Amino acid sequence: MADAVLFEFLHTEMVAELWTPDPDPGSGGQKTCPSVLESMGFRVGQALGESISLGPSLPCPALPSPALPSRLPRDTPAFREELDVLKFLCKDLWVAVFQKQMDGLRTNHQGTYVLQDNSFPLLVPMASGLQYLEEAPKFLAFTCGLLCGALHTLGFQSLVTASVAALPACKFQVVIQKP
């Protein structure tokens, strides 16, 4: 529980720092750095993917201990199919990072997947009013990078985008890029 609170606080501070007003009025007045947040998430996702692909006996370096599992499940299979990887991300990886499973996974069977979380933990604190709906997407950039990094390490090139229609629910669209 304490680790989840610390992660939420760290994430909130990263977003606040990277989206603060820019003192240079010529640059538009706001220092928007979603690519920096995505890059940070990508590296964390790579670390999680490496712990998956290198074997179940290795500790997961990106996850804090002891509240979160230090290892991913021992019965982690070798992934061959896209759908199997996405199911793993929705179940096991999401639990390791957010202590809950993803609420939905849909696909068009052509490389596009929509992952839905009806109560995304990083959006729950701002779910009290509609005034925060406009601010919500910047809180999803890190997680988009996390998903993309994990998929990259598992051998799937992807493009991940996020959308929010009503707080605290969000959708992540994953498009697997064919070689």
Side-chain angles (χ1 to χ4, degrees):
M1 181 62 132
D3 286 340
V5 172
L6 291 174
F7 174 70
E8 286 177 28
F9 180 70
L10 174 64
H11 183 266
T12 301
E13 288 301 310
M14 288 187 314
V15 170
E17 178 60 29
L18 294 171
W19 288 72
T20 57
D22 192 349
D24 179 19
S27 67
Q30 192 166 26
K31 179 172 61 172
T32 57
C33 296
S35 62
V36 174
L37 285 169
E38 283 186 47
S39 297
M40 294 168 119
F42 187 87
R43 181 59 196 119
V44 172
Q46 280 183 315
L48 290 170
E50 288 169 4
S51 71
I52 295 165
S53 63
L54 292 177
S57 62
L58 296 175
C60 182
L63 296 177
S65 59
L68 294 177
S70 61
R71 298 168 190 241
L72 291 166
R74 290 194 177 276
D75 57 349
T76 302
F79 300 113
R80 293 184 183 11
E81 300 293 325
E82 293 173 2
L83 186 57
D84 293 333
V85 171
L86 271 293
K87 285 180 182 178
F88 177 81
L89 293 179
C90 289
K91 293 179 181 179
D92 299 316
L93 184 77
W94 215 250
V95 168
V97 177
F98 297 111
Q99 293 84 46
K100 65 183 284 303
Q101 287 188 3
M102 187 75 74
D103 295 311
L105 169 63
R106 294 182 178 208
T107 180
N108 66 357
H109 299 287
Q110 296 177 356
T112 301
Y113 301 86
V114 177
L115 291 66
Q116 182 165 348
D117 193 332
N118 294 326
S119 183
F120 186 59
L122 300 176
L123 295 179
V124 169
M126 64 176 67
S128 60
L130 292 175
Q131 70 270 25
Y132 300 114
L133 188 60
E134 187 176 299
E135 300 293 318
K138 64 186 174 187
F139 286 87
L140 302 174
F142 178 85
T143 309
C144 287
L146 179 103
L147 290 168
C148 196
L151 286 165
H152 181 269
T153 303
L154 294 171
F156 295 93
Q157 300 299 322
S158 63
L159 176 63
V160 180
T161 57
S163 62
V164 179
L167 292 170
C170 65
K171 292 181 181 180
F172 297 94
Q173 181 173 338
V174 179
V175 178
I176 303 294
Q177 299 172 343
K178 302 295 181 189

